[in-house]
Amino acid sequence: MSNEHTVKSYEEELQFLKDSLIKMGSLTESQLGDAMDAVIKVDKDSIDKIIKSDEEINKFRSKIDTQIMNLLVKRAPMAIDLRETISSLKISQDLERIGDLSKSNAKKVKPLPLDLPDELLGNLKRLGELVMKQLNDVLDSYVNKNFDKAKEVWIKDEQVDDLTYIAMESVIDFLSKDKKNLDFSTHLIFATKNLERAGDHITNIAETVCYLVKGEYLKGSRPKGKVIQE
Amino acid sequence: MNNIKIKSKNLNVYYGDKQALFDVNLDLNEKEVTALIGPSGCGKSTFIRCINRMNDVIDICKVTGNIEMDGMNINDKDLDVVSLRERVGMVFQKPNPFPKSIYDNISYGPKIHGKGETKSELDQIVENSLKKSALWEEVKDRLDEPGTSLSGGQQQRLCIARAISVNPEVILMDEPCSALDPIATAKIEELIDELKKTYTIVIVTHSMAQAVRVSQKTGFFHLGKLIEVGNTEKIFKNPDNKMTQDYITGRFG
Ligand SMILES: Nc1ncnc2c1ncn2[C@@H]1O[C@H](COP(=O)(O)OP(=O)(O)OP(=O)(O)O)[C@@H](O)[C@H]1O
Ligand SMILES: [Mg+2]
């Protein structure tokens, strides 16, 4: 008994879908990194490029949608193929949202002064690195169908929450020293919050990977760190 | 969970030297639809023929092990097979109406089983059966025409009407839609949904999508063995057995 579909083109279509999602994932990853860099270095020149790459990500999303619809109509996938198809739909949605958040962060660079103190950006940088690592790990868990790794990412979202809290604190500290920091500090607060949201989408993806691999949802509620009420 | 209507225990079937079923243990729940799937020749039809002793008519066929309906041993040599088949109706792959009128196709069963003494009783049975099988509106003005004059989908519903005319408890369907177009298929599937309120239904199908649509429980056979049986949703989303997964996802052979 082989593991290939009897219908070769079906096999190819599924593979093509997986490939598209992996490409979309790596695009989202580099966009998130670029947006982080832009914020930390207050690099206003890269904003346009980041906005452009978001369009690219959105295009992938609609391409993946079409592929999924075709698969559903033509193949009526079952079992692992069904989970693979539906997971791709969900993951591509989360990736697209992460892309939107990166774009939003890139836009926040514009009003920032060029001489931001390190102590202000240090925690934000750490948060950005953690979110990057989380995205990298979750995509890895998808590619390798690794349940344990996905679950690890899921658990580690608590750290994202905690670090968000700390990063917020440093911005607010800075803000309270001098009211005229207000206009750009709010942008940093939003950028921090955006990273936390990206973390939530990564957690969604982790849940989807767990479902994809084992066919059942993770039990229990999500681990929660310190959260700032909206 | 519904009661178990039919229970097979270590059921083995042989055609001469060739064994077609191996120790099949399968429970069919009352007022539920059980779908049987598996590659051609895996023993699906053989299994359902055990339920109404249709294998009796095959000389070389030998059945061992146990199969019970409501605790009654179906294989009991002294069992009245005619009354068993009154309780367990069957619908075949190809619609096979008798070469008689639509009316006679349906009244025949009740007559030989001694149901419907008078003409008006029979009229009532014919009408009810045709209504239950969702054919009444289409044929009520042509009951005297031959059953064979109907379209394939109508003929199959006629056969279902014939099966339910004797008020059975179980209906066996062996690929009932394989000769039908999507609309006729949809009608039969809707009918199955309705019928399961009253009857225990077993359907053999080669359409995975159909199994998902109509059944609550699915059994997967391979080379005469029941490989996996369980909740239909579970089987098609996340089967336990790799062979089941390979079959339903089209990765077989
Ligand atoms: N009347 C018969 N005489 C001899 N062998 C038979 C007879 N009927 C079935 N068999 C054998 O028993 C095995 C199971 O056959 P069965 O008809 O139950 O398969 P099936 O699952 O219904 O297949 P299909 O999907 O093609 O209808 C096959 O190997 C078949 O060749
Ligand atoms: Mg058969």
Side-chain angles (χ1 to χ4, degrees):
Chain A
M1 206 180 310
S2 74
N3 274 319
E4 294 255 307
H5 280 95
T6 315
V7 181
K8 236 203 154 93
S9 49
Y10 183 12
E11 189 73 35
E12 285 162 6
E13 284 161 20
L14 272 174
Q15 192 55 50
F16 192 53
L17 176 62
K18 282 182 233 175
D19 291 346
S20 303
L21 195 65
I22 292 167
K23 277 186 202 143
M24 183 180 180
S26 67
L27 215 64
T28 311
E29 221 179 333
S30 41
Q31 188 210 24
L32 178 67
D34 290 348
M36 256 341 278
D37 277 353
V39 173
I40 301 301
K41 295 178 188 152
V42 195
D43 173 9
K44 304 191 185 197
D45 295 335
S46 60
I47 299 175
D48 285 344
K49 186 191 140 209
I50 294 165
I51 293 174
K52 268 254 145 52
S53 73
D54 190 54
E55 283 165 22
E56 200 63 27
I57 291 174
N58 292 347
K59 265 189 226 153
F60 255 104
R61 161 72 205 290
S62 53
K63 197 176 109 184
I64 286 171
D65 269 8
T66 312
Q67 287 177 36
I68 289 170
M69 268 193 268
N70 287 343
L71 264 168
L72 290 174
V73 170
K74 280 166 73 177
R75 311 295 180 187
M78 292 288 177
I80 181 68
D81 300 334
L82 179 63
R83 303 208 302 275
E84 190 81 64
T85 310
I86 295 305
S87 298
S88 306
L89 185 67
K90 289 166 88 177
I91 293 173
S92 67
Q93 282 167 356
D94 283 311
L95 288 175
E96 189 195 0
R97 296 290 298 126
I98 295 170
D100 291 343
L101 293 165
S102 300
K103 179 172 84 172
S104 157
N105 274 4
K107 284 181 174 167
K108 303 219 165 357
V109 176
K110 217 169 238 166
L112 293 183
L114 293 170
D115 55 348
L116 284 176
D118 283 351
E119 85 247 30
L120 180 59
L121 295 175
N123 287 323
L124 185 60
K125 183 162 183 256
R126 277 172 57 209
L127 174 62
E129 281 163 0
L130 178 62
V131 173
M132 281 288 291
K133 169 95 169 73
Q134 286 278 85
L135 180 58
N136 187 276
D137 284 349
V138 86
L139 291 172
D140 217 54
S141 76
Y142 168 75
V143 173
N144 298 310
K145 305 275 179 285
N146 188 332
F147 179 90
D148 292 338
K149 185 148 193 182
K151 189 164 180 192
E152 234 170 74
V153 170
W154 187 74
I155 290 168
K156 251 172 85 181
D157 188 55
E158 193 175 350
Q159 294 178 24
V160 174
D161 291 344
D162 288 344
L163 208 48
T164 302
Y165 191 86
I166 294 167
M168 289 279 199
E169 266 183 343
S170 28
V171 180
I172 290 165
D173 269 356
F174 186 75
L175 172 63
S176 58
K177 280 186 203 140
D178 189 343
K179 279 271 153 53
K180 73 176 187 302
N181 293 334
L182 181 66
D183 11 322
F184 72 85
S185 292
T186 51
H187 292 292
L188 286 178
I189 288 178
F190 283 127
T192 311
K193 192 69 196 167
N194 279 346
L195 284 173
E196 189 202 16
R197 290 215 180 99
D200 290 339
H201 287 289
I202 292 167
T203 314
N204 287 346
I205 298 177
E207 282 175 357
T208 304
V209 172
C210 289
Y211 177 73
L212 168 63
V213 178
K214 290 221 171 144
E216 51 195 61
Y217 290 100
L218 283 170
K219 293 194 180 70
S221 54
R222 290 182 173 192
K224 270 262 165 257
K226 273 188 183 172
V227 217
I228 292 167
Q229 297 301 324
E230 278 174 69
Chain B
M1 181 60 101
N2 294 359
N3 293 333
I4 295 171
K5 181 74 183 173
I6 287 165
K7 192 175 187 66
S8 83
K9 277 185 283 187
N10 300 325
L11 190 72
N12 289 284
V13 177
Y14 306 81
Y15 294 104
D17 300 338
K18 190 181 177 306
Q19 189 164 358
L21 285 183
F22 298 81
D23 285 323
V24 173
N25 294 293
L26 179 56
D27 294 344
L28 308 175
N29 295 329
E30 191 166 33
K31 295 179 186 175
E32 233 182 64
V33 181
T34 302
L36 304 182
I37 58 168
S40 192
C42 67
K44 306 176 295 291
S45 299
T46 300
F47 178 80
I48 64 169
R49 284 200 303 262
C50 292
I51 302 174
N52 65 349
R53 293 265 299 265
M54 284 291 274
N55 288 319
D56 284 12
V57 299
I58 303 167
D59 282 345
I60 55 169
C61 186
K62 192 179 108 206
V63 179
T64 71
N66 239 307
I67 183 156
E68 294 174 358
M69 176 163 65
D70 296 333
M72 170 193 87
N73 177 9
I74 291 178
N75 281 342
D76 188 342
K77 286 199 174 43
D78 298 328
L79 186 90
D80 175 6
V81 177
V82 176
S83 79
L84 172 70
R85 291 188 192 146
E86 190 183 333
R87 296 175 65 186
V88 183
M90 190 157 183
V91 177
F92 298 85
Q93 173 170 5
K94 278 213 196 103
N96 57 346
F98 306 135
K100 291 174 175 216
S101 71
I102 294 171
Y103 186 96
D104 287 348
N105 259 279
I106 297 165
S107 61
Y108 178 78
K111 260 193 222 155
I112 62 160
H113 289 297
K115 296 180 178 177
E117 306 273 293
T118 65
K119 169 86 169 93
S120 74
E121 271 172 2
L122 277 178
D123 287 353
Q124 201 53 52
I125 291 174
V126 169
E127 179 171 340
N128 284 345
S129 306
L130 285 169
K131 277 182 173 161
K132 275 195 200 154
S133 71
L135 191 59
W136 175 249
E137 287 306 319
E138 287 157 73
V139 301
K140 62 174 186 232
D141 301 321
R142 48 192 282 204
L143 294 175
D144 294 335
E145 289 176 30
T148 46
S149 69
L150 297 170
S151 77
Q154 289 171 328
Q155 287 187 23
Q156 196 59 304
R157 277 178 286 149
L158 179 66
C159 293
I160 293 174
R162 190 176 66 191
I164 57 188
S165 66
V166 294
N167 200 19
E169 295 156 44
V170 179
I171 302 177
L172 310 174
M173 299 185 170
D174 200 346
E175 300 180 49
C177 300
S178 60
L180 305 185
D181 76 12
I183 293 166
T185 299
K187 281 190 184 154
I188 303 268
E189 287 179 2
E190 204 175 73
L191 178 58
I192 291 173
D193 238 20
E194 190 55 38
L195 294 176
K196 77 159 190 284
K197 293 177 190 156
T198 323
Y199 310 103
T200 301
I201 298 173
V202 190
I203 179 170
V204 171
T205 177
H206 282 289
S207 158
M208 304 301 119
Q210 178 167 66
V212 178
R213 288 193 297 266
V214 303
S215 74
Q216 287 70 56
K217 190 172 181 174
T218 296
F220 168 62
F221 284 83
H222 182 53
L223 297 176
K225 294 188 174 118
L226 179 66
I227 304 295
E228 182 169 357
V229 58
N231 179 288
T232 295
E233 212 180 291
K234 161 101 172 100
I235 295 278
F236 287 97
K237 280 188 190 159
N238 189 23
D240 288 328
N241 192 287
K242 183 167 179 308
M243 247 196 264
T244 314
Q245 168 129 301
D246 282 347
Y247 178 71
I248 63 177
T249 57
R251 286 176 167 84
F252 235 57

mmCIF file with all atom_site columns, all heavy atoms in Angstrom, chain B residues 15 18 20 39-46 49 58 60 175 206, ligand 1:
data_model
loop_
_atom_site.group_PDB
_atom_site.id
_atom_site.type_symbol
_atom_site.label_atom_id
_atom_site.label_alt_id
_atom_site.label_comp_id
_atom_site.label_asym_id
_atom_site.label_entity_id
_atom_site.label_seq_id
_atom_site.pdbx_PDB_ins_code
_atom_site.Cartn_x
_atom_site.Cartn_y
_atom_site.Cartn_z
_atom_site.occupancy
_atom_site.B_iso_or_equiv
_atom_site.pdbx_formal_charge
_atom_site.auth_seq_id
_atom_site.auth_comp_id
_atom_site.auth_asym_id
_atom_site.auth_atom_id
_atom_site.pdbx_PDB_model_num
ATOM   1   N N   . TYR B 1 15  ? -17.355 -19.149 0.483  1.00 0.00 ? 15  TYR B N   1
ATOM   2   C CA  . TYR B 1 15  ? -17.929 -19.598 -0.795 1.00 0.00 ? 15  TYR B CA  1
ATOM   3   C C   . TYR B 1 15  ? -17.054 -20.770 -1.212 1.00 0.00 ? 15  TYR B C   1
ATOM   4   O O   . TYR B 1 15  ? -15.934 -20.562 -1.691 1.00 0.00 ? 15  TYR B O   1
ATOM   5   C CB  . TYR B 1 15  ? -17.892 -18.500 -1.849 1.00 0.00 ? 15  TYR B CB  1
ATOM   6   C CG  . TYR B 1 15  ? -18.775 -17.307 -1.529 1.00 0.00 ? 15  TYR B CG  1
ATOM   7   C CD1 . TYR B 1 15  ? -18.219 -16.114 -1.077 1.00 0.00 ? 15  TYR B CD1 1
ATOM   8   C CD2 . TYR B 1 15  ? -20.162 -17.378 -1.685 1.00 0.00 ? 15  TYR B CD2 1
ATOM   9   C CE1 . TYR B 1 15  ? -19.020 -15.014 -0.796 1.00 0.00 ? 15  TYR B CE1 1
ATOM   10  C CE2 . TYR B 1 15  ? -20.971 -16.284 -1.403 1.00 0.00 ? 15  TYR B CE2 1
ATOM   11  C CZ  . TYR B 1 15  ? -20.393 -15.104 -0.958 1.00 0.00 ? 15  TYR B CZ  1
ATOM   12  O OH  . TYR B 1 15  ? -21.186 -14.010 -0.675 1.00 0.00 ? 15  TYR B OH  1
ATOM   13  N N   . LYS B 1 18  ? -13.264 -20.746 -0.502 1.00 0.00 ? 18  LYS B N   1
ATOM   14  C CA  . LYS B 1 18  ? -12.815 -19.363 -0.368 1.00 0.00 ? 18  LYS B CA  1
ATOM   15  C C   . LYS B 1 18  ? -13.555 -18.655 0.768  1.00 0.00 ? 18  LYS B C   1
ATOM   16  O O   . LYS B 1 18  ? -14.776 -18.616 0.796  1.00 0.00 ? 18  LYS B O   1
ATOM   17  C CB  . LYS B 1 18  ? -13.081 -18.627 -1.685 1.00 0.00 ? 18  LYS B CB  1
ATOM   18  C CG  . LYS B 1 18  ? -12.424 -17.266 -1.721 1.00 0.00 ? 18  LYS B CG  1
ATOM   19  C CD  . LYS B 1 18  ? -12.726 -16.548 -3.041 1.00 0.00 ? 18  LYS B CD  1
ATOM   20  C CE  . LYS B 1 18  ? -12.137 -15.159 -3.045 1.00 0.00 ? 18  LYS B CE  1
ATOM   21  N NZ  . LYS B 1 18  ? -12.501 -14.306 -1.923 1.00 0.00 ? 18  LYS B NZ  1
ATOM   22  N N   . ALA B 1 20  ? -14.861 -15.487 2.559  1.00 0.00 ? 20  ALA B N   1
ATOM   23  C CA  . ALA B 1 20  ? -15.179 -14.114 2.135  1.00 0.00 ? 20  ALA B CA  1
ATOM   24  C C   . ALA B 1 20  ? -15.296 -13.152 3.310  1.00 0.00 ? 20  ALA B C   1
ATOM   25  O O   . ALA B 1 20  ? -15.071 -11.954 3.160  1.00 0.00 ? 20  ALA B O   1
ATOM   26  C CB  . ALA B 1 20  ? -16.477 -14.105 1.327  1.00 0.00 ? 20  ALA B CB  1
ATOM   27  N N   . PRO B 1 39  ? -13.171 -1.539  -0.650 1.00 0.00 ? 39  PRO B N   1
ATOM   28  C CA  . PRO B 1 39  ? -12.944 -1.823  -2.066 1.00 0.00 ? 39  PRO B CA  1
ATOM   29  C C   . PRO B 1 39  ? -13.782 -2.992  -2.579 1.00 0.00 ? 39  PRO B C   1
ATOM   30  O O   . PRO B 1 39  ? -14.243 -3.814  -1.794 1.00 0.00 ? 39  PRO B O   1
ATOM   31  C CB  . PRO B 1 39  ? -11.449 -2.155  -2.135 1.00 0.00 ? 39  PRO B CB  1
ATOM   32  C CG  . PRO B 1 39  ? -10.954 -2.258  -0.744 1.00 0.00 ? 39  PRO B CG  1
ATOM   33  C CD  . PRO B 1 39  ? -11.969 -1.678  0.174  1.00 0.00 ? 39  PRO B CD  1
ATOM   34  N N   . SER B 1 40  ? -13.956 -3.014  -3.866 1.00 0.00 ? 40  SER B N   1
ATOM   35  C CA  . SER B 1 40  ? -14.733 -4.064  -4.512 1.00 0.00 ? 40  SER B CA  1
ATOM   36  C C   . SER B 1 40  ? -14.228 -5.446  -4.077 1.00 0.00 ? 40  SER B C   1
ATOM   37  O O   . SER B 1 40  ? -13.035 -5.684  -4.032 1.00 0.00 ? 40  SER B O   1
ATOM   38  C CB  . SER B 1 40  ? -14.588 -3.888  -6.021 1.00 0.00 ? 40  SER B CB  1
ATOM   39  O OG  . SER B 1 40  ? -15.528 -4.702  -6.655 1.00 0.00 ? 40  SER B OG  1
ATOM   40  N N   . GLY B 1 41  ? -15.185 -6.305  -3.730 1.00 0.00 ? 41  GLY B N   1
ATOM   41  C CA  . GLY B 1 41  ? -14.815 -7.667  -3.362 1.00 0.00 ? 41  GLY B CA  1
ATOM   42  C C   . GLY B 1 41  ? -14.417 -7.850  -1.909 1.00 0.00 ? 41  GLY B C   1
ATOM   43  O O   . GLY B 1 41  ? -13.982 -8.927  -1.500 1.00 0.00 ? 41  GLY B O   1
ATOM   44  N N   . CYS B 1 42  ? -14.575 -6.810  -1.091 1.00 0.00 ? 42  CYS B N   1
ATOM   45  C CA  . CYS B 1 42  ? -14.128 -6.905  0.307  1.00 0.00 ? 42  CYS B CA  1
ATOM   46  C C   . CYS B 1 42  ? -15.161 -7.593  1.202  1.00 0.00 ? 42  CYS B C   1
ATOM   47  O O   . CYS B 1 42  ? -14.872 -7.899  2.350  1.00 0.00 ? 42  CYS B O   1
ATOM   48  C CB  . CYS B 1 42  ? -13.801 -5.523  0.865  1.00 0.00 ? 42  CYS B CB  1
ATOM   49  S SG  . CYS B 1 42  ? -15.260 -4.470  1.028  1.00 0.00 ? 42  CYS B SG  1
ATOM   50  N N   . GLY B 1 43  ? -16.374 -7.807  0.680  1.00 0.00 ? 43  GLY B N   1
ATOM   51  C CA  . GLY B 1 43  ? -17.348 -8.574  1.456  1.00 0.00 ? 43  GLY B CA  1
ATOM   52  C C   . GLY B 1 43  ? -18.539 -7.789  1.994  1.00 0.00 ? 43  GLY B C   1
ATOM   53  O O   . GLY B 1 43  ? -19.301 -8.293  2.814  1.00 0.00 ? 43  GLY B O   1
ATOM   54  N N   . LYS B 1 44  ? -18.733 -6.585  1.481  1.00 0.00 ? 44  LYS B N   1
ATOM   55  C CA  . LYS B 1 44  ? -19.847 -5.761  1.966  1.00 0.00 ? 44  LYS B CA  1
ATOM   56  C C   . LYS B 1 44  ? -21.191 -6.428  1.669  1.00 0.00 ? 44  LYS B C   1
ATOM   57  O O   . LYS B 1 44  ? -22.032 -6.573  2.554  1.00 0.00 ? 44  LYS B O   1
ATOM   58  C CB  . LYS B 1 44  ? -19.821 -4.363  1.311  1.00 0.00 ? 44  LYS B CB  1
ATOM   59  C CG  . LYS B 1 44  ? -18.515 -3.634  1.455  1.00 0.00 ? 44  LYS B CG  1
ATOM   60  C CD  . LYS B 1 44  ? -18.529 -2.316  0.702  1.00 0.00 ? 44  LYS B CD  1
ATOM   61  C CE  . LYS B 1 44  ? -18.637 -2.446  -0.816 1.00 0.00 ? 44  LYS B CE  1
ATOM   62  N NZ  . LYS B 1 44  ? -17.447 -3.014  -1.478 1.00 0.00 ? 44  LYS B NZ  1
ATOM   63  N N   . SER B 1 45  ? -21.374 -6.809  0.403  1.00 0.00 ? 45  SER B N   1
ATOM   64  C CA  . SER B 1 45  ? -22.655 -7.428  0.027  1.00 0.00 ? 45  SER B CA  1
ATOM   65  C C   . SER B 1 45  ? -22.823 -8.753  0.755  1.00 0.00 ? 45  SER B C   1
ATOM   66  O O   . SER B 1 45  ? -23.923 -9.092  1.209  1.00 0.00 ? 45  SER B O   1
ATOM   67  C CB  . SER B 1 45  ? -22.716 -7.664  -1.480 1.00 0.00 ? 45  SER B CB  1
ATOM   68  O OG  . SER B 1 45  ? -22.615 -6.445  -2.164 1.00 0.00 ? 45  SER B OG  1
ATOM   69  N N   . THR B 1 46  ? -21.737 -9.491  0.853  1.00 0.00 ? 46  THR B N   1
ATOM   70  C CA  . THR B 1 46  ? -21.790 -10.766 1.576  1.00 0.00 ? 46  THR B CA  1
ATOM   71  C C   . THR B 1 46  ? -22.293 -10.533 2.997  1.00 0.00 ? 46  THR B C   1
ATOM   72  O O   . THR B 1 46  ? -23.138 -11.273 3.496  1.00 0.00 ? 46  THR B O   1
ATOM   73  C CB  . THR B 1 46  ? -20.384 -11.416 1.601  1.00 0.00 ? 46  THR B CB  1
ATOM   74  O OG1 . THR B 1 46  ? -19.968 -11.639 0.260  1.00 0.00 ? 46  THR B OG1 1
ATOM   75  C CG2 . THR B 1 46  ? -20.403 -12.724 2.369  1.00 0.00 ? 46  THR B CG2 1
ATOM   76  N N   . ARG B 1 49  ? -26.018 -9.640  3.091  1.00 0.00 ? 49  ARG B N   1
ATOM   77  C CA  . ARG B 1 49  ? -26.849 -10.810 2.740  1.00 0.00 ? 49  ARG B CA  1
ATOM   78  C C   . ARG B 1 49  ? -26.993 -11.771 3.912  1.00 0.00 ? 49  ARG B C   1
ATOM   79  O O   . ARG B 1 49  ? -27.916 -12.588 3.929  1.00 0.00 ? 49  ARG B O   1
ATOM   80  C CB  . ARG B 1 49  ? -26.277 -11.523 1.510  1.00 0.00 ? 49  ARG B CB  1
ATOM   81  C CG  . ARG B 1 49  ? -26.569 -10.790 0.196  1.00 0.00 ? 49  ARG B CG  1
ATOM   82  C CD  . ARG B 1 49  ? -26.446 -11.727 -1.005 1.00 0.00 ? 49  ARG B CD  1
ATOM   83  N NE  . ARG B 1 49  ? -25.142 -12.360 -1.080 1.00 0.00 ? 49  ARG B NE  1
ATOM   84  C CZ  . ARG B 1 49  ? -24.145 -11.915 -1.861 1.00 0.00 ? 49  ARG B CZ  1
ATOM   85  N NH1 . ARG B 1 49  ? -24.325 -10.871 -2.635 1.00 0.00 ? 49  ARG B NH1 1
ATOM   86  N NH2 . ARG B 1 49  ? -22.987 -12.531 -1.870 1.00 0.00 ? 49  ARG B NH2 1
ATOM   87  N N   . ILE B 1 58  ? -27.331 -19.336 -2.303 1.00 0.00 ? 58  ILE B N   1
ATOM   88  C CA  . ILE B 1 58  ? -26.076 -19.689 -2.975 1.00 0.00 ? 58  ILE B CA  1
ATOM   89  C C   . ILE B 1 58  ? -25.591 -21.025 -2.399 1.00 0.00 ? 58  ILE B C   1
ATOM   90  O O   . ILE B 1 58  ? -25.239 -21.116 -1.224 1.00 0.00 ? 58  ILE B O   1
ATOM   91  C CB  . ILE B 1 58  ? -25.013 -18.583 -2.765 1.00 0.00 ? 58  ILE B CB  1
ATOM   92  C CG1 . ILE B 1 58  ? -25.549 -17.235 -3.273 1.00 0.00 ? 58  ILE B CG1 1
ATOM   93  C CG2 . ILE B 1 58  ? -23.714 -18.957 -3.462 1.00 0.00 ? 58  ILE B CG2 1
ATOM   94  C CD1 . ILE B 1 58  ? -24.728 -16.030 -2.854 1.00 0.00 ? 58  ILE B CD1 1
ATOM   95  N N   . ILE B 1 60  ? -22.950 -22.956 -2.603 1.00 0.00 ? 60  ILE B N   1
ATOM   96  C CA  . ILE B 1 60  ? -21.625 -23.184 -2.032 1.00 0.00 ? 60  ILE B CA  1
ATOM   97  C C   . ILE B 1 60  ? -21.353 -22.315 -0.814 1.00 0.00 ? 60  ILE B C   1
ATOM   98  O O   . ILE B 1 60  ? -20.300 -22.388 -0.212 1.00 0.00 ? 60  ILE B O   1
ATOM   99  C CB  . ILE B 1 60  ? -20.511 -22.925 -3.083 1.00 0.00 ? 60  ILE B CB  1
ATOM   100 C CG1 . ILE B 1 60  ? -20.657 -21.512 -3.671 1.00 0.00 ? 60  ILE B CG1 1
ATOM   101 C CG2 . ILE B 1 60  ? -20.551 -23.982 -4.185 1.00 0.00 ? 60  ILE B CG2 1
ATOM   102 C CD1 . ILE B 1 60  ? -19.458 -21.084 -4.496 1.00 0.00 ? 60  ILE B CD1 1
ATOM   103 N N   . GLU B 1 175 ? -25.739 -0.448  -2.565 1.00 0.00 ? 175 GLU B N   1
ATOM   104 C CA  . GLU B 1 175 ? -25.443 0.579   -3.574 1.00 0.00 ? 175 GLU B CA  1
ATOM   105 C C   . GLU B 1 175 ? -26.708 1.065   -4.274 1.00 0.00 ? 175 GLU B C   1
ATOM   106 O O   . GLU B 1 175 ? -26.817 0.988   -5.500 1.00 0.00 ? 175 GLU B O   1
ATOM   107 C CB  . GLU B 1 175 ? -24.466 0.038   -4.620 1.00 0.00 ? 175 GLU B CB  1
ATOM   108 C CG  . GLU B 1 175 ? -23.133 -0.396  -4.034 1.00 0.00 ? 175 GLU B CG  1
ATOM   109 C CD  . GLU B 1 175 ? -22.203 -0.924  -5.105 1.00 0.00 ? 175 GLU B CD  1
ATOM   110 O OE1 . GLU B 1 175 ? -22.057 -0.235  -6.117 1.00 0.00 ? 175 GLU B OE1 1
ATOM   111 O OE2 . GLU B 1 175 ? -21.664 -2.025  -4.926 1.00 0.00 ? 175 GLU B OE2 1
ATOM   112 N N   . HIS B 1 206 ? -20.209 3.101   -2.510 1.00 0.00 ? 206 HIS B N   1
ATOM   113 C CA  . HIS B 1 206 ? -18.844 3.385   -2.945 1.00 0.00 ? 206 HIS B CA  1
ATOM   114 C C   . HIS B 1 206 ? -18.573 4.878   -2.928 1.00 0.00 ? 206 HIS B C   1
ATOM   115 O O   . HIS B 1 206 ? -17.483 5.323   -3.261 1.00 0.00 ? 206 HIS B O   1
ATOM   116 C CB  . HIS B 1 206 ? -18.597 2.836   -4.362 1.00 0.00 ? 206 HIS B CB  1
ATOM   117 C CG  . HIS B 1 206 ? -18.356 1.365   -4.358 1.00 0.00 ? 206 HIS B CG  1
ATOM   118 N ND1 . HIS B 1 206 ? -17.203 0.814   -3.862 1.00 0.00 ? 206 HIS B ND1 1
ATOM   119 C CD2 . HIS B 1 206 ? -19.125 0.331   -4.757 1.00 0.00 ? 206 HIS B CD2 1
ATOM   120 C CE1 . HIS B 1 206 ? -17.269 -0.500  -3.964 1.00 0.00 ? 206 HIS B CE1 1
ATOM   121 N NE2 . HIS B 1 206 ? -18.435 -0.827  -4.503 1.00 0.00 ? 206 HIS B NE2 1
HETATM 122 N N1  . LIG C 2 .   ? -21.899 -16.181 -5.326 1.00 0.00 ? 1   LIG C N1  1
HETATM 123 C C1  . LIG C 2 .   ? -20.582 -16.181 -5.097 1.00 0.00 ? 1   LIG C C1  1
HETATM 124 N N2  . LIG C 2 .   ? -19.827 -17.255 -5.376 1.00 0.00 ? 1   LIG C N2  1
HETATM 125 C C2  . LIG C 2 .   ? -18.515 -17.268 -5.143 1.00 0.00 ? 1   LIG C C2  1
HETATM 126 N N3  . LIG C 2 .   ? -17.826 -16.251 -4.620 1.00 0.00 ? 1   LIG C N3  1
HETATM 127 C C3  . LIG C 2 .   ? -18.508 -15.126 -4.303 1.00 0.00 ? 1   LIG C C3  1
HETATM 128 C C4  . LIG C 2 .   ? -19.923 -15.044 -4.533 1.00 0.00 ? 1   LIG C C4  1
HETATM 129 N N4  . LIG C 2 .   ? -20.323 -13.826 -4.146 1.00 0.00 ? 1   LIG C N4  1
HETATM 130 C C5  . LIG C 2 .   ? -19.216 -13.174 -3.701 1.00 0.00 ? 1   LIG C C5  1
HETATM 131 N N5  . LIG C 2 .   ? -18.129 -13.963 -3.794 1.00 0.00 ? 1   LIG C N5  1
HETATM 132 C C6  . LIG C 2 .   ? -16.760 -13.592 -3.412 1.00 0.00 ? 1   LIG C C6  1
HETATM 133 O O1  . LIG C 2 .   ? -16.750 -13.109 -2.074 1.00 0.00 ? 1   LIG C O1  1
HETATM 134 C C7  . LIG C 2 .   ? -15.954 -11.950 -1.954 1.00 0.00 ? 1   LIG C C7  1
HETATM 135 C C8  . LIG C 2 .   ? -16.779 -10.799 -1.427 1.00 0.00 ? 1   LIG C C8  1
HETATM 136 O O2  . LIG C 2 .   ? -17.743 -10.449 -2.401 1.00 0.00 ? 1   LIG C O2  1
HETATM 137 P P1  . LIG C 2 .   ? -18.851 -9.348  -2.161 1.00 0.00 ? 1   LIG C P1  1
HETATM 138 O O3  . LIG C 2 .   ? -19.789 -9.410  -3.292 1.00 0.00 ? 1   LIG C O3  1
HETATM 139 O O4  . LIG C 2 .   ? -19.403 -9.499  -0.794 1.00 0.00 ? 1   LIG C O4  1
HETATM 140 O O5  . LIG C 2 .   ? -17.977 -8.039  -2.232 1.00 0.00 ? 1   LIG C O5  1
HETATM 141 P P2  . LIG C 2 .   ? -18.431 -6.509  -2.201 1.00 0.00 ? 1   LIG C P2  1
HETATM 142 O O6  . LIG C 2 .   ? -17.656 -5.869  -1.111 1.00 0.00 ? 1   LIG C O6  1
HETATM 143 O O7  . LIG C 2 .   ? -19.892 -6.405  -2.136 1.00 0.00 ? 1   LIG C O7  1
HETATM 144 O O8  . LIG C 2 .   ? -17.878 -5.961  -3.587 1.00 0.00 ? 1   LIG C O8  1
HETATM 145 P P3  . LIG C 2 .   ? -18.510 -4.869  -4.604 1.00 0.00 ? 1   LIG C P3  1
HETATM 146 O O9  . LIG C 2 .   ? -18.169 -3.557  -4.029 1.00 0.00 ? 1   LIG C O9  1
HETATM 147 O O10 . LIG C 2 .   ? -17.772 -5.122  -5.868 1.00 0.00 ? 1   LIG C O10 1
HETATM 148 O O11 . LIG C 2 .   ? -19.971 -5.124  -4.710 1.00 0.00 ? 1   LIG C O11 1
HETATM 149 C C9  . LIG C 2 .   ? -15.365 -11.708 -3.332 1.00 0.00 ? 1   LIG C C9  1
HETATM 150 O O12 . LIG C 2 .   ? -14.077 -12.233 -3.371 1.00 0.00 ? 1   LIG C O12 1
HETATM 151 C C10 . LIG C 2 .   ? -16.278 -12.446 -4.267 1.00 0.00 ? 1   LIG C C10 1
HETATM 152 O O13 . LIG C 2 .   ? -15.562 -12.938 -5.373 1.00 0.00 ? 1   LIG C O13 1
#
